[in-house]
Amino acid sequence: MTTHSESLNELAPALAKAQAAMKAAVMDGENPHFKSRFCTLSSIMDAVRKPLADHGLCVVQGPSAGEGVAKVTTMILHSSGQWIGSELALPVGERPTPQAIGSAISYGRRYGLAGLLGVVSDTDDDGEAAEESAKASPAAMVR
């Protein structure tokens, strides 16, 4: 769910200008297990940091964990005090080890940031990979 400050009259135009200056994030990470490429958090931040700062915007992300999930709250703050934010909850699996929680938080930071800012990568499979995984294993579907 996305939430925001009472008014967005200063944040919205600043965000529109920042987005116009953003380039696509580079797919610089590799997942050898799935033989796929992805945008690392560093790549996404490289694509957004300067355009955001140039327009009085910044990003704040905070993790938390609950029963079986890791949550990441992503907020875009404007120098006027206006803000927009979103929370993403991700399952951590049957064994919520620190590594599983950390992995879910990293994933949540990447996708929360990219989603809230409208950042794209240099390719988009239109959800094909997720669809194929779900067909192969119904248990792999996110609840």
Side-chain angles (χ1 to χ4, degrees):
M1 176 198 236
T2 301
T3 58
H4 55 81
S5 57
E6 187 174 319
S7 180
L8 298 174
N9 65 311
E10 293 187 50
L11 182 142
L15 185 54
K17 290 174 186 171
Q19 285 179 328
M22 291 177 193
K23 305 285 187 218
V26 176
M27 296 185 87
D28 60 344
E30 280 192 43
N31 183 330
H33 182 72
F34 291 110
K35 296 178 176 57
S36 62
R37 295 172 48 223
F38 63 94
C39 299
T40 62
L41 180 58
S42 179
S43 172
I44 296 168
M45 285 301 294
D46 286 347
V48 304
R49 185 177 283 121
K50 183 166 177 17
L52 289 175
D54 287 349
H55 298 285
L57 298 159
C58 69
V59 174
V60 175
Q61 291 186 299
S64 62
E67 204 163 310
V69 297
K71 296 178 183 178
V72 175
T73 301
T74 301
M75 295 184 72
I76 308 303
L77 309 173
H78 185 255
S79 57
S80 66
Q82 295 176 359
W83 57 273
I84 185 168
S86 180
E87 182 178 86
L88 180 60
L90 299 133
V92 294
E94 294 177 20
R95 293 184 46 205
T97 64
Q99 291 78 14
I101 293 168
S103 178
I105 288 170
S106 292
Y107 191 90
R109 288 187 68 200
R110 287 196 324 260
Y111 284 90
L113 181 61
L116 196 57
L117 289 175
V119 175
V120 296
S121 62
D122 57 6
T123 60
D124 183 349
D125 74 354
D126 196 29
E128 189 65 33
E131 185 67 24
E132 290 303 314
S133 294
K135 287 179 189 174
S137 171
M141 295 174 58
V142 177
R143 326 172 231 189

